[in-house]
Structure formats: structure tokens, C-alpha cells
Amino acid sequence: MLINTRVFIAMELNSQDRPFSIKLWPPSQNTRQTLVERMTSNLTTKSLFTQKYGTLDKEEAEENAKRIEDVAFITANLHYEKEPDGDGGSAVQLYAKECSKLLLDVLKRGPSNRDSEEVMTSDDTTAPRESVFDISKGKRAFIEADEARELLKPLKEPGNSFTKICFSNRSFGLGAAQVTEPILASLKGQLKEVDLADFIAGRPEAEALDVMKIFSTALEGSVLRYLNLSDNALGEKGVRAFGALLKSQNSLEELYLMNDGISEEAARAVCELIPFTEKLKVLHFHNNMTGDEGALAIAEVVKRSPLLENFRCSSTRIGSAGGVALSDALGNCTHLKKLDLRDNMLGVEGGVSLSKALTKHAELREIYLSYLNLEDDGAIAIVDALKESAPHLEVLEMSGNDITPNAAPAIAACLSAKRFLSKLNLSENELKDEGAILISKTLEGHSQLKEIDLSCNQIGGDGAKQLAMTLVQKADFKSLNINGNFISNEGIDELMDIFKNSPDMLGPLDENEPDGGDNDEDDDDEGSADELESKMKNLVVN
């Protein structure tokens, strides 16, 4: 599954007759559209991922591909504007990485069931009928004044009972915002949930800021429990454009600020403009440019949120110092049920600090700690803490942390106490046969286990066989992924025989290396010498 962005850009630049001064950023509109078409194809054609998670229909795939490309472009462009590097090479790489990461998220989420979603909305017995006004369905589109007048008519009907509005996936221009302003102002006494995710896409910055200020002023003083401002490339200017709305909220329970290009300065603005978080239960801050300094500001928000149950701060460029600050703040959140810190660089120090906070999280159900550079010492500290807390833990993910067999005894001891565990992901580590055997034996009595991923762990036939024999006996077990290991051809035959009565339990083994050795990240059926293509391929597959 390849997205050859550099080739696209190079072709476009060649057509512009610039043989001696090649500037890779920004890509042309044609290049961007071609990338959208490639991602649409990835989402609709047969592959290892779509076989596992399902293909999307063309309309849904195209919608997602356009959204992915737009978010990736905005993120990379912010990077380029802040740190111009001459030819734009680093912006291209970030663009590629973001596209791959978001594409993988969509693949794993699989196709949506829109009919069932609509039925659920209309048959919702916990809210009045007609309580949700949602214009996000269908194709992504710009909205101007005339269309806004027609589209928003139901909101002007006297006595309507709308408590939630969703304007995401439609891009509001200045005229549409001016039409919308008095309508929202008239409703703010009854609104409880507002979704403005991705509602200014493609607008010039000056217009986008004006639109945000109009919506903010219109909704100022509303008493919201849910607010979603994701996918808007806010930056500090955007956060401050929503200042009137944010400062007036003292009852928020859910706040979403994902894919917003929030830098250190923007994070400080978030901390400043959202002073009331005592009731906050959900805070999602995924895929921003926060860094360590910004993490200090977000840590302050977390520290002021004692009721927090669901915290996502993944892919935010946080290092050790920021990880320590966040961990200290999370120690105050004793009601935490779901924690996602994936794809940061906490390191051993951050992992040890996090382990201290985890001792207080008795209600934790899901924890996602992949790609944090924990190594053995950080991983051991965390699983030792989890062993004594989180008695009802259901999901544990610690992929890509350079964990070796030295940490396996501590992991096994932790898992032995987690009888409610349903999903375990330790992929892309170095557990080898020794670690796999120890962990699989620990899981023999776990009746609720449904998914295990130990792919890319240098596991041989012995470890794979022990895992298979342990898991095949579980009635409710769904999926074992041990691809990308060092299992001999004979060992694969044994695995197939073990799972002959339930072949769907065993994932694909097409990336297995029977002869062992280091994985060649550039080895693919559609392999290419192009550096960026290879980088993007790996990002998608991981």
C-alpha cells in the first residue's frame, strides 16, 4: 500500500521546468488530488488491511481520503511556515507521515454503517426526538450564505428541541457564518453539544479566523457538556479566535482538540482560555505539535480535571520532560478509565514517572502506550505498577518500545493478575521465543481474551507454537497476529494444523522470515528505491 508523494511532487515540478532549483513544498493541486485518488484506491481495493478490517465504498473512501490529505497538508504547511528548510523536504516527509498515519486509522476503523447510525439517532430513547441537527453526512463541501439559509431552516423553527448541532465536514465561508450567527445565538440557551470539527477547511486564514470568531461570539455563554473543535488547524490564532466561547464554559464534560496544529504557544492559550475543567471527563488532544513546553500547559489543564476518565494525548511530539509533567498531573485523575499516550518520546524517565501515577488508577480499563521509547526499564516500571492497580484492565498496548525478554517476567506477572484482559498488543518489540512462551503460559486461564498481537518480535517456531496451543482452546478468541517473525516453513505448517478448525483466528503470515535475520523495511511486492515511498510504506504498515 504505497503513497509515492515524492514521485508525484517531482513529476509536477519537472512539468514546471525548474531543473536547477527544485522546491518540494508546497505540492501542486494536481499532486494533492492524485494523492487523494491513491488513498481512495487503498481504502477500496483488496489488501491485508482491508481483508482484516473491511473495504470502504467509493464515496466513503473518497470523503476520508480528502479529509486525510487536507489535515496532513495543513499540518505540514504549519511546519514549513514555522521552520522553512529551503526545499521543503522536511515538510514533504511530515506530509507523508501524517497521510500514512491517518490512513491507517481509517483502515483500522473500517467501513461505517451509516444506516444503523441514522436509526440509532432517530430511535434514541435517552433524548427527545429531533434533538440532533447534523449536516455532516454526505460529501465534503463549501457552504456560502444562500445554502446556509436553506440548510439551517429547521434551527429557526419555533419550539424546536435541538440540543446538539454537528456542522463538521462542511466548510463555512464568511457569508454563511454571518447567516448562522443569529440562529446560534437564539439557540445557545438550549444547546448542550456542539461539533464544529473540520468546518473551515480550505478557507484563507483571515476568513477562517473571522468565521471562528463569529461562531465563538454567537455561542458565548451557552452551557455545553460537549465541544469538538478538531481538524481545524487552529494554531494559537485559532484557539484565541474561540476565546469568548471557551472562557464562558464551566460545565464541559467532553472536549476534543485533535489534528489542530496546536503548538507550544497554542497549548498555553488552551490552558489560559479554559479555566473551568472541574467537570471534564473526556479530553482528546491527538496529533498536534505540542512538544515538551506545550505539554507543560496541557498538564495544567489535566491537573485541574479531577474527574477525567478518558485522556488521549497521542502523536503530540512530547519528550521526557513533557511526559514527566503529564504523568504527575495524571496522578490527580483517579477516575481515569482510558489513557492513550501513543507515539511520543517519553523514554525511560517518562515511563518511570508514569508508573507512579498508574498506582492510583484503580478504575483503568484501557491503556495505550505504544511507541514511547520505554525500553525494558520503563516497561517494567509500568507493568509493575499495573500489576498492583487496574484490576479490571481490558486492553494493554505497548508496541514498539524495544522490549526484550528481560522484561517478559514482569509483563507475565502483570498479565497473570488481569483476568478481564481482552486485547494485548506487544508488537514490534524483541521478546523472542523466551518472552512469547512465558507470556502465553501466563494467559492460559484468561477466558475473556479475544485479540493478541505479537507480530515483529523475532519469535521462532517454539514461541509461535506455544501461543497457538494456548489460544486455540479459547472459545471466544478472535485474532492472533504473529506475522513478521522468524517461523520456519515447517513451523507455519504446524500453526495451520493447530488452527485447522478455526482458521480465522490466525492472522496472515506473509511477512514472516523463515530464515530469521533483520527485517528489511524496504522489502515489498511493490518495492521502490524511492526514499519517501519506502518511508511512507512503513508508516502505513506499522
Side-chain angles (χ1 to χ4, degrees):
M1 210 177 294
L2 306 177
I3 311 172
N4 195 343
T5 306
R6 179 165 290 179
V7 170
F8 295 161
I9 294 173
M11 290 171 60
E12 183 65 26
L13 291 169
N14 288 340
S15 69
Q16 295 173 14
D17 193 24
R18 283 192 261 177
F20 300 109
S21 178
I22 294 177
K23 198 167 185 66
L24 296 174
W25 193 264
S28 70
Q29 191 59 43
N30 182 60
T31 298
R32 295 179 64 183
Q33 180 57 36
T34 307
L35 179 58
V36 168
E37 291 170 1
R38 283 292 182 91
M39 289 193 290
T40 300
S41 176
N42 287 337
L43 293 167
T44 56
T45 56
K46 188 175 181 181
S47 68
L48 289 176
F49 281 97
T50 55
Q51 279 183 305
K52 183 173 183 180
Y53 299 108
T55 56
L56 278 62
D57 62 46
K58 187 171 181 180
E59 181 180 352
E60 184 180 2
E62 188 172 12
E63 288 176 18
N64 278 283
K66 287 178 179 178
R67 181 183 295 234
I68 290 168
E69 191 282 328
D70 192 57
V71 171
F73 177 82
I74 291 169
T75 302
N77 203 47
L78 284 170
H79 166 80
Y80 180 69
E81 290 175 356
K82 189 173 181 180
E83 301 177 12
D85 58 355
D87 68 352
S90 65
V92 169
Q93 291 186 20
L94 180 58
Y95 182 50
K97 179 180 179 182
E98 294 302 314
C99 280
S100 297
K101 185 190 304 177
L102 296 171
L103 180 63
L104 183 57
D105 287 344
V106 172
L107 283 164
K108 288 186 174 180
R109 189 171 67 239
S112 65
N113 189 339
R114 296 187 180 184
D115 291 341
S116 66
E117 287 174 1
E118 291 172 3
V119 170
M120 286 176 65
T121 300
S122 62
D123 292 341
D124 187 352
T125 58
T126 63
R129 199 172 178 84
E130 303 284 340
S131 66
V132 180
F133 181 79
D134 187 353
I135 61 171
S136 68
K137 304 293 190 295
K139 290 185 177 180
R140 201 166 185 231
F142 285 85
I143 294 182
E144 304 304 339
D146 289 342
E147 186 178 0
R149 288 190 188 94
E150 186 65 28
L151 203 58
L152 304 182
K153 276 183 179 179
L155 294 177
K156 298 176 67 176
E157 293 177 1
N160 74 74
S161 57
F162 294 118
T163 59
K164 177 178 180 177
I165 56 171
C166 179
F167 289 170
S168 67
N169 203 39
R170 300 294 180 98
S171 180
F172 282 74
L174 186 57
Q178 290 168 341
V179 168
T180 307
E181 181 177 18
I183 298 174
L184 291 183
S186 69
L187 291 175
K188 65 183 177 183
Q190 69 190 57
L191 289 177
K192 299 300 179 186
E193 302 183 30
V194 171
D195 187 342
L196 300 179
D198 192 27
F199 85 120
I200 51 163
R203 302 290 179 178
E205 181 183 280
E207 182 181 18
L209 290 171
D210 285 342
V211 169
M212 288 188 276
K213 288 175 184 176
I214 289 171
F215 273 74
S216 175
T217 301
L219 292 167
E220 181 181 7
S222 55
V223 185
L224 303 179
R225 62 162 296 278
Y226 171 104
L227 178 61
N228 191 346
L229 301 177
S230 300
D231 302 318
N232 283 311
L234 296 177
E236 182 183 8
K237 293 178 183 178
V239 172
R240 294 196 179 279
F242 274 112
L245 171 61
L246 294 173
K247 280 197 260 186
S248 70
Q249 299 305 304
N250 56 20
S251 297
L252 273 182
E253 296 179 19
E254 299 185 38
L255 176 62
Y256 299 85
L257 296 169
M258 301 184 289
N259 302 318
D260 274 331
I262 293 182
S263 61
E264 169 190 333
E265 297 80 9
R268 290 198 185 108
V270 169
C271 183
E272 170 194 336
L273 296 172
I274 310 179
F276 305 107
T277 57
E278 292 88 353
K279 298 181 181 180
L280 200 62
K281 294 180 180 180
V282 179
L283 176 58
H284 280 201
F285 203 73
H286 166 71
N287 199 32
N288 285 298
M289 303 184 295
T290 312
D292 276 344
E293 293 300 318
L296 299 179
I298 299 304
E300 285 300 312
V301 177
V302 172
K303 194 179 294 184
R304 301 196 303 257
S305 309
L307 299 182
L308 200 62
E309 297 179 1
N310 184 334
F311 180 54
R312 185 180 185 188
C313 196
S314 49
S315 302
T316 48
R317 306 184 186 181
I318 295 174
S320 179
V324 169
L326 268 179
S327 298
D328 290 345
L330 286 168
N332 295 330
C333 305
T334 56
H335 299 286
L336 204 64
K337 295 179 180 178
K338 183 175 181 179
L339 175 62
D340 186 349
L341 299 177
R342 284 175 285 192
D343 192 23
N344 287 298
M345 290 296 291
L346 269 61
V348 174
E349 184 180 0
V352 171
S353 180
L354 179 60
S355 71
K356 296 174 183 175
L358 293 176
T359 59
K360 304 173 184 178
H361 294 160
E363 298 181 35
L364 198 63
R365 298 293 194 277
E366 303 177 33
I367 185 165
Y368 301 87
L369 304 176
S370 297
Y371 310 109
L372 297 181
N373 201 31
L374 295 174
E375 302 180 11
D376 281 344
D377 288 345
I380 289 171
I382 285 170
V383 294
D384 282 348
L386 288 174
K387 178 185 175 184
E388 304 302 327
S389 62
H392 299 284
L393 190 70
E394 297 171 10
V395 178
L396 173 60
E397 286 200 10
M398 298 180 72
S399 301
N401 279 301
D402 296 321
I403 301 172
T404 75
N406 293 331
I411 294 173
C414 171
L415 297 177
S416 68
K418 306 304 167 193
R419 295 293 168 172
F420 294 94
L421 192 71
S422 64
K423 181 178 179 181
L424 174 65
N425 189 343
L426 295 170
S427 62
E428 296 185 54
N429 287 300
E430 301 169 18
L431 288 167
K432 302 183 178 178
D433 276 351
E434 180 184 343
I437 291 171
L438 189 58
I439 289 170
S440 64
K441 288 183 177 179
T442 302
L443 298 173
E444 287 178 356
H446 286 57
S447 60
Q448 298 192 33
L449 202 57
K450 290 180 174 60
E451 295 181 46
I452 287 188
D453 191 341
L454 281 172
S455 56
C456 303
N457 260 287
Q458 303 176 20
I459 297 170
D462 291 342
K465 183 178 178 181
Q466 180 64 57
L467 279 164
M469 293 176 65
T470 298
L471 300 172
V472 74
Q473 304 172 40
K474 299 184 182 297
D476 295 327
F477 190 76
K478 303 294 184 187
S479 173
L480 170 62
N481 184 359
I482 46 175
N483 208 359
N485 283 301
F486 302 158
I487 308 167
S488 68
N489 291 328
E490 293 78 6
I492 290 179
D493 289 340
E494 282 193 82
L495 293 176
M496 297 294 190
D497 187 59
I498 292 171
F499 284 100
K500 63 184 177 183
N501 293 326
S502 48
D504 291 344
M505 284 187 184
L506 183 62
L509 293 166
D510 57 314
E511 295 179 14
N512 180 64
E513 297 183 43
D515 298 326
D518 295 330
N519 289 330
D520 180 3
E521 293 183 340
D522 295 324
D523 185 17
D524 190 89
D525 291 340
E526 301 177 75
S528 168
D530 182 88
E531 178 187 351
L532 180 57
E533 179 176 348
S534 179
K535 183 177 181 66
M536 289 197 66
K537 174 185 65 179
N538 295 327
L539 286 166
V540 169
V541 176
N542 283 347

